[in-house]
Amino acid sequence: MTDPSPDTTARSPQDLLGAVPYLLGYHPGDEIVAVYLAADRRILGVAAEPLRFSAEALSEHLMLQAPAEPFAEVALIGYGPPPIRPVLTTIGRILGLFWPLHTLLWVTGSRCVCLLDSCSCQASRGMDIDPATSAVATQLTYAGMVALPSRQDLDTLVAPDLVAQAETETAVAALAPDAAAPGLLDDVLTAAKRGQRLTAGQLAPLALALTHRDILETAWDAVCGCMWQRDLWLDVTRRVPDRYACGPATLAAWCAWRRDEHALATVACKRAVREGPGHRLTRLVTSVVRTRVPAHRLRRPAAR
C-alpha cells in the first residue's frame, strides 16, 4: 500500500472529529487543530498546535502550516477544558479574516459544541461524541492509518531503547570486517516484509551499512508507505546506537511522509537531525516534510 491515506471527506462534525486523530497520528489534547478543506469538503491538510502561546501566535503558526494546495475553508477545533474557549474564538476571528470558517468546534471530554455564530449544525446545540466509532475513522483504520493516544506517544516511537542499543552495540563490536555483505539490504527487507523482527545480529551490520551513502540511498529508494516498512525503520531507529540512528530515522521519516503521517515524519526528522545534522539526505527529507505537501502531490526528489 504505497498511498494509504485516501481522500477523506468531512461532511459533518462527526466526520471531522473522527478523521483528525488519524490524520495527525495521535489523539489531540489541550491543542488547537486546523483542518483545511477543499470546496467539496475533502480534507487537504491538518495542523495542530499545543496551547503554549497566545491566540495571535497560534494563529500565525496555523497559517504557516496551511497546505500548499489551494483550499476553500478552514475548520477549527479546540481540544481542552473551558479556558480554551476564548482562545479558540480569538483564533477563529483572526483566521476568518483570511479564509472562510467552516466550523468552530470546542471539544472537552466526550462533548462537542460549535461556537460559530449562526451555525445550524448539530454541534451548535452540543452533542456527545465518540470519534472512534465514526465511519471516517473506520475508513482510515482500514487504510492503515494509526491514531496514538497522545502527541507524546509519537516521540516514544523514535526514542532510543537503551537496552536494545546496548545489545546492538555488543553485536557491532563482534562483527567481522566483511559484515556488510552483498544482499544485506534485500535480506533485511524480505525478513521485515514477512513480519520478522530483526535480531541484534542482523541489526548490527545494517547499522554499519546505512552509514554508507550509496546503501542508504538504495534503502531510501525502496521506501514505500507500507505498514511493515514503518514498523521496520522505527524499530531500527530505536535499537541502534545513537551514532548510527541518523540513517534509519531519515528512512522512518520518509516512510511516515509517504503515508501522510506528517506529525510522525516531523519527530523522526528531529531525531535524524539531532544525530546527524550535516547529513545530505536528512536535510533533503526534512525539507520535503516541512512543505506539508501530501506525498501523492509531489514528485520524488533526486537524492544526488
Side-chain angles (χ1 to χ4, degrees):
M1 182 165 46
T2 59
D3 184 17
S5 180
D7 282 342
T8 304
T9 302
R11 303 194 182 280
S12 68
Q14 293 92 330
D15 288 346
L16 278 171
L17 298 174
V20 162
Y22 292 89
L23 298 178
L24 285 178
Y26 64 91
H27 288 269
D30 295 330
E31 295 177 71
I32 301 291
V33 176
V35 184
Y36 307 93
L37 301 169
D40 60 0
R41 302 289 189 268
R42 282 181 301 112
I43 297 177
L44 301 180
V46 179
E49 285 292 328
L51 292 170
R52 298 174 184 167
F53 309 102
S54 67
E56 292 75 16
L58 290 170
S59 299
E60 181 180 358
H61 294 171
L62 293 173
M63 291 172 68
L64 290 173
Q65 295 183 67
E69 184 175 359
F71 56 94
E73 296 178 305
V74 178
L76 280 178
I77 309 171
Y79 293 83
I84 199 177
R85 289 188 60 162
V87 178
L88 177 62
T89 302
T90 301
I91 295 174
R93 285 199 300 266
I94 294 173
L95 295 190
L97 297 173
F98 299 91
W99 306 301
L101 286 183
H102 174 66
T103 192
L104 191 65
L105 300 177
W106 170 43
V107 177
T108 178
S110 60
R111 191 74 175 164
C112 172
V113 179
C114 181
L115 305 180
L116 196 62
D117 292 338
S118 69
C119 179
S120 60
C121 74
Q122 182 181 355
S124 63
R125 299 180 299 276
M127 65 180 188
D128 294 326
I129 57 169
D130 184 1
T133 63
S134 75
V136 169
T138 301
Q139 173 196 8
L140 294 174
T141 300
Y142 182 76
M145 304 297 285
V146 177
L148 296 174
S150 70
R151 179 188 282 259
Q152 289 70 32
D153 288 290
L154 284 177
D155 295 323
T156 301
L157 289 179
V158 298
D161 181 330
L162 299 182
V163 173
Q165 284 184 321
E167 293 173 350
T168 306
E169 188 74 77
T170 300
V172 168
L175 285 176
D178 59 348
L184 170 65
L185 184 59
D186 287 338
D187 292 343
V188 165
L189 294 177
T190 298
K193 192 172 184 178
R194 291 173 178 167
Q196 300 170 2
R197 192 185 190 205
L198 301 184
T199 65
Q202 293 171 307
L203 201 55
L206 178 64
L208 289 176
L210 292 178
T211 63
H212 298 282
R213 178 179 171 182
D214 56 340
I215 297 177
L216 179 61
E217 291 185 1
T218 299
W220 179 64
D221 190 60
V223 170
C224 65
C226 296
M227 191 68 180
W228 65 267
Q229 287 223 8
R230 178 186 189 271
D231 293 342
L232 167 65
W233 296 121
L234 289 174
D235 187 53
V236 175
T237 298
R238 297 196 66 206
R239 294 170 61 200
V240 298
D242 289 344
R243 66 184 182 279
Y244 299 119
C246 177
T250 300
L251 299 177
W254 188 248
C255 181
W257 176 78
R258 294 204 62 177
R259 292 173 54 82
D260 285 336
E261 295 186 61
H262 293 282
L264 177 57
T266 298
V267 297
C269 281
K270 289 179 179 178
R271 176 82 198 279
V273 170
R274 184 165 66 247
E275 308 301 350
H279 198 283
R280 193 170 185 170
L281 183 60
T282 299
R283 294 199 308 269
L284 172 60
V285 170
T286 299
S287 296
V288 173
V289 169
R290 285 176 177 169
T291 66
R292 302 191 65 83
V293 175
H296 63 281
R297 304 288 183 185
L298 190 68
R299 293 184 60 191
R300 184 184 183 93
R304 301 182 185 277

